[in-house]
Amino acid sequence: MKQAKELLGEYGLRKTKCRLDILDLFLSHQQALAHADIEQVLGDRYDRVTIYRTLYSFKEQGLLHSINDISGAVKFALCQEACSQHQHYDNHIHFSCTQCGQTFCLNEVHIPAMTLPAGYSVHNLHFSAEGICKACNARE
Ligand SMILES: [Zn+2]
Ligand SMILES: [Zn+2]
Ligand SMILES: [Zn+2]
């Protein structure tokens, strides 16, 4: 697993404390995180605008991708290596657990290629699954 410092360096981003703390949070969680989740942990150190800006700049830089999950909240998750600035290649499925409410990237499950009618071009493809996650299933 990569370190936050290493990642910021790779993406040519300044290593501010806020960026490091937010990245650390993503690196230590398996599930996607909403702004509110981050604020809960780091809210006493950084104001919401700073957190918001950091998340969106990470998205711009190809470090994080956003997910619209069943809760209606926008969540963020770390991108795989293939993503770069302004160009995301996150063609995996997102899994939302109806029991714990968490969303996970299923990086190994790719969205099947599809053929669209002439005249349409795709910029983003969202594919999500709902059900019970691994952790919740193990708890039963
Ligand atoms: Zn991405
Ligand atoms: Zn679950
Ligand atoms: Zn994802």
Side-chain angles (χ1 to χ4, degrees):
M1 186 51 96
K2 277 194 181 140
Q3 298 297 307
K5 266 192 182 137
E6 213 182 312
L7 269 173
L8 286 178
E10 241 170 65
Y11 282 80
L13 292 165
R14 266 198 316 131
K15 299 173 185 74
T16 65
K17 191 89 185 76
C18 181
R19 283 178 178 162
L20 287 170
D21 283 346
I22 290 178
L23 260 192
D24 269 337
L25 216 56
F26 279 99
L27 289 167
S28 58
H29 285 77
Q30 276 203 310
Q31 73 268 35
L33 300 171
H35 184 277
D37 299 325
I38 295 155
E39 221 183 313
Q40 213 164 44
V41 185
L42 300 172
D44 53 343
R45 270 182 266 172
Y46 310 107
D47 63 56
R48 51 180 307 141
V49 179
T50 308
I51 296 174
Y52 192 83
R53 281 206 196 117
T54 306
L55 286 173
Y56 279 88
S57 84
F58 281 164
K59 191 185 163 182
E60 277 284 307
Q61 300 296 325
L63 261 170
L64 297 178
H65 58 283
S66 58
I67 304 158
N68 299 303
D69 84 338
I70 45 170
S71 70
V74 177
K75 292 186 176 178
F76 295 87
L78 285 172
C79 289
Q80 297 293 294
E81 334 264 290
C83 294
S84 59
Q85 197 171 1
H86 305 300
Q87 197 70 57
H88 285 275
Y89 299 98
D90 305 285
N91 67 333
H92 54 270
I93 286 173
H94 289 120
F95 190 96
S96 296
C97 178
T98 50
Q99 198 153 312
C100 64
Q102 305 290 6
T103 301
F104 304 89
C105 290
L106 301 184
N107 288 312
E108 64 279 17
V109 187
H110 290 166
I111 299 175
M114 54 185 82
T115 316
L116 290 168
Y120 291 88
S121 55
V122 186
H123 289 159
N124 274 305
L125 209 54
H126 301 283
F127 200 106
S128 47
E130 268 174 50
I132 308 294
C133 76
K134 202 168 150 186
C136 289
N137 265 325
R139 241 177 267 134
E140 303 275 271

